[in-house]
Amino acid sequence: MDLGNLYQDVILEHNRNPRNWGELPPPNDRADGRNPMCGDEVTVWLKLEGDRVTDISFVGTGCAISKASASMMTQAIKGKTRAEAEAVFEQFHAMVTGHHANPAGDATVGKLKVFAGVARFPARVKCASLAWHAMHEALHQAHSRAS
Ligand code: ZN
């Protein structure tokens, strides 16, 4: 697979059929993200039970990269502990900003490696990381509310 190509089939498919689409009812935590440069907007809902993300969803508008990234983020984070979610966030962020030495060989990154090509397009880094930052914020909110 050529990870240099920005629009992988997987990305286009998630853009067409986003997973975990919709809202979670209160009192679950939510966080919004906006990327004015591209017009992307995303809201992420997250349910933290104990130390585990038992449910996560999103609604958003914007480009294919932002939507597919949000969709795959929810799949990657659902069921993870807080520490695991933070680890995936860090590796994903390192990858799209070009600071990950070997994303294809990193089990934490897994399927998310289809976003490796984003690192070559600085203007798209925000598109790819928007939902991740929102997830990160919602996770912090949920944790501080619970503790
Ligand atoms: Zn975008």
Side-chain angles (χ1 to χ4, degrees):
M1 178 164 63
D2 173 17
L3 292 179
N5 182 2
L6 190 54
Y7 295 98
Q8 303 283 336
D9 288 346
V10 176
I11 292 178
L12 297 174
E13 199 278 318
H14 274 267
N15 176 51
R16 280 192 301 269
N17 302 300
R19 315 301 200 278
N20 301 305
W21 179 269
E23 304 183 9
L24 295 184
N28 298 302
D29 287 274
R30 57 170 281 182
D32 303 311
R34 290 190 64 221
N35 175 19
M37 296 289 285
C38 181
D40 308 316
E41 291 185 15
V42 67
T43 302
V44 171
W45 286 264
L46 183 149
K47 181 177 194 170
L48 190 68
E49 286 185 294
D51 201 40
R52 197 169 290 275
V53 179
T54 54
D55 206 358
I56 182 166
S57 70
F58 85 103
V59 168
T61 56
C63 68
I65 298 288
S66 72
K67 220 160 140 187
S69 177
S71 174
M72 292 184 72
M73 178 277 290
T74 61
Q75 286 191 316
I77 296 304
K78 198 183 235 179
K80 294 274 195 298
T81 65
R82 223 159 44 84
E84 287 166 349
E86 296 284 6
V88 182
F89 171 75
E90 275 171 35
Q91 296 310 311
F92 181 84
H93 197 261
M95 178 180 71
V96 295
T97 53
H99 295 103
H100 196 307
N102 180 23
D106 183 348
T108 305
V109 169
K111 292 180 196 166
L112 298 165
K113 65 177 181 282
V114 294
F115 289 98
V118 170
R120 288 169 49 239
F121 303 85
R124 311 312 299 274
V125 171
K126 275 205 163 171
C127 303
S129 54
L130 191 64
W132 289 82
H133 285 288
M135 176 279 289
H136 196 235
E137 197 187 317
L139 193 58
H140 270 279
Q141 278 174 23
H143 178 61
S144 44
R145 210 163 45 78
S147 54

